[in-house]
Amino acid sequence: MRPPVAPTGWSRWLVPPAALSVHLSIGQAYAWSVFKPPLESALGLSGTQSALPFQLGIVMLGLSAAFGGTLVERNGPRWAMTVALVCFSSGFLLSALGAVTEQYWLIVLGYGFVGGIGLGIGYISPVSTLIKWFPDRPGMATGIAIMGFGGGALIASPWSAQMLESFGADSGGIAAAFLVHGLVYALFMTLGVVLVRVPGKEARPGVRGTAQTATPTGPQVSAEQAIRTPQFWCLWLVLCMNVTAGIGILEKAAPMITDFFQDSSTPVTASAAAGFVALLSAANMAGRIGWSSASDLVGRKNVYRLYLGAGAVMYLLIALYGDASKPLFVLCALVILSFYGGGFATAPAYLKDLFGTYQVGAIHGRLLTAWSLAGVLGPLIVNWVSDSQEDAGKHGPALYGLSFTIMIGLLVVGFVANELIRPVHARHHVPAPREPADDTADRDHQQPA
């Protein structure tokens, strides 16, 4: 599927809305915690079991991004967005079938495996194209698109909660909610498929907001060479630790805030917990555009120092004082989620600084395997510790103290890894690279990743 090349004078500012239509849709994954309590009640699942579709979805996101990154570079963003649309929507339809028949394995297969492939391909589909359109502001450009993934739950969380209230929280109501999600997201993602464009060869830097596709300068490294460098693996560790710390809160957000204040004079209701999930989504979204744009000014390493160092402090404050003050708990969680989102949005620009624009989409896909591991680690740490503490007779904030301590340690590991990142040695550079395969005007001259 050959994406249309933008005509002369076509505004580059039409590309971010195309990316947003896909990312806002697949960002529903961050609202999964709204479905956890109903699924646990309707199907008799534990907290660890109800997290499995989300965990598998994140695993498949990283794996499909890694293995599909080269295909996305070769076939272009329209092909990638179409694949994402089909897989993500089909995942919801399979989940609806699993819910109505009370076959939980179908929900895991649909939402986790099939939908997870849609997550991965959809997530990386616009990244390389956006960097080509905005080489002057790569952090801002990728932040705009990836902001949509973080903000998807801002829409999906209250929407899902309302559907469960209207349809019912039994297996039939959950199935109806899944069905509506699948159909509506398919329509919305179609906008991105139709609108996306790639810059043409005639595009010139700084001409009335059009493409800025100058000849690449600085280090240019292939995807094959990038994974052989220590810089790639240090950044992989940085992303993995940052994501693990953030996703641990996000996946269990609704039950977590309920547990923390269940013995207080003003316990948190189900609707308030859903509102908390929406607030976290807003912080996630704001961090993606805010912190990634700031990284264009202060540098990628400095902004990651903030994510990891201040993130550890926020976790410490929650562990020590979170149960004594709802505003403190909420504020610290919002800051952590803003760093979580900012880490995702800044990563493509960090890769561009280290490895250049040549095959940056494929390199980004390989980097997202860190997300796969983090998608398992974060929920596993929080849910396993919570379940084990509950079995030991504990309740409330005591369910989470150990897991928060683990998260602080992981963030410190990430901070050290970020300090070890240095410029890539010239022996890994590719001399005089051609345009990556996103540029379909030159697709007969591609070099494999």
Side-chain angles (χ1 to χ4, degrees):
M1 181 180 293
R2 189 183 295 262
V5 177
T8 302
W10 196 80
S11 175
R12 62 178 179 168
W13 292 102
L14 292 174
V15 181
L20 277 171
S21 71
V22 173
H23 275 237
L24 280 170
S25 298
I26 62 177
Q28 184 281 334
Y30 284 143
W32 177 253
S33 65
V34 175
F35 286 102
K36 281 172 64 67
L39 282 170
E40 290 167 16
S41 176
L43 302 182
L45 306 173
S46 68
T48 302
Q49 289 173 323
S50 66
L52 184 57
F54 176 82
Q55 288 176 290
L56 181 58
I58 299 301
V59 169
M60 293 309 302
L61 186 159
L63 294 178
S64 61
F67 290 104
T70 302
L71 290 175
V72 172
E73 288 281 298
R74 181 178 301 132
N75 296 325
R78 173 168 285 184
W79 173 87
M81 289 180 178
T82 302
V83 171
L85 184 159
V86 172
C87 291
F88 188 64
S89 297
S90 297
F92 269 113
L93 300 183
L94 279 172
S95 297
L97 178 62
V100 77
T101 59
E102 299 188 2
Q103 297 294 315
Y104 186 59
W105 68 270
L106 271 176
I107 300 177
V108 176
L109 174 67
Y111 191 93
F113 184 81
V114 178
I117 295 173
L119 288 177
I121 300 300
Y123 190 87
I124 64 173
S125 61
V127 169
S128 180
T129 302
L130 281 166
I131 288 177
K132 292 186 183 71
W133 281 106
F134 294 89
D136 53 328
R137 286 179 280 182
M140 182 212 67
T142 55
I144 289 175
I146 294 175
M147 172 185 69
F149 193 90
L154 187 62
I155 300 169
S157 180
W159 183 41
S160 300
Q162 182 59 51
M163 278 194 286
L164 290 171
E165 184 177 333
S166 300
F167 298 145
D170 58 359
S171 59
I174 295 170
F178 283 154
L179 177 63
V180 172
H181 275 76
L183 296 177
V184 172
Y185 283 136
L187 291 174
F188 193 59
M189 293 172 76
T190 301
L191 176 65
V193 174
V194 172
L195 188 60
V196 71
R197 299 287 189 277
V198 296
K201 286 292 187 182
E202 74 284 354
R204 290 175 293 153
V207 180
R208 296 178 180 267
T210 59
Q212 300 205 7
T213 52
T215 301
T217 59
Q220 301 294 325
V221 182
S222 70
E224 182 179 357
Q225 282 296 317
I227 62 174
R228 298 176 181 177
T229 66
Q231 288 84 353
F232 176 87
W233 293 107
C234 282
L235 186 53
W236 188 97
L237 190 60
V238 166
L239 184 63
C240 184
M241 298 299 98
N242 194 54
V243 172
T244 300
I247 212 168
I249 285 183
L250 194 57
E251 187 273 337
K252 203 175 173 66
M256 182 184 291
I257 193 171
T258 302
D259 289 337
F260 250 79
F261 299 100
Q262 66 180 17
D263 295 330
S264 70
S265 58
T266 54
V268 177
T269 64
S271 60
F276 175 61
V277 175
L279 278 176
L280 291 180
S281 177
N284 187 355
M285 179 174 63
R288 290 170 186 246
I289 182 62
W291 295 125
S292 62
S293 296
S295 77
D296 288 334
L297 301 175
V298 304
R300 320 303 171 194
K301 177 174 282 193
N302 286 332
V303 83
Y304 270 100
R305 285 169 173 152
L306 177 67
Y307 299 156
L308 299 159
V313 173
M314 294 299 105
Y315 257 115
L316 181 62
L317 288 174
I318 293 178
L320 295 177
Y321 309 111
D323 61 331
S325 170
K326 281 182 187 175
L328 177 66
F329 179 93
V330 172
L331 178 62
C332 290
L334 292 177
V335 172
I336 290 171
L337 263 295
S338 78
F339 292 158
Y340 169 81
F344 279 121
T346 312
Y350 210 160
L351 289 172
K352 182 256 184 186
D353 293 346
L354 291 170
F355 304 109
T357 57
Y358 181 65
Q359 297 186 339
V360 67
I363 299 171
H364 185 226
R366 287 157 171 78
L367 184 73
L368 291 181
T369 54
W371 196 356
S372 291
L373 179 58
V376 174
L377 279 181
L380 181 62
I381 291 169
V382 174
N383 284 288
W384 179 80
V385 170
S386 175
D387 288 345
S388 63
Q389 296 291 352
E390 187 173 12
D391 291 341
K394 296 183 180 180
H395 68 284
L399 299 175
Y400 303 99
L402 177 59
S403 60
F404 286 177
T405 301
I406 294 172
M407 296 302 180
I408 292 171
L410 294 178
L411 287 168
V412 171
V413 170
F415 189 93
V416 173
N418 184 53
E419 294 302 308
L420 296 176
I421 295 177
R422 298 289 185 272
V424 177
H425 194 278
R427 69 174 178 272
H428 297 291
H429 296 183
V430 175
R434 297 168 183 166
E435 276 296 296
D438 256 11
D439 190 346
T440 54
D442 194 32
R443 62 185 294 164
D444 291 334
H445 300 283
Q446 303 307 319
Q447 297 185 32

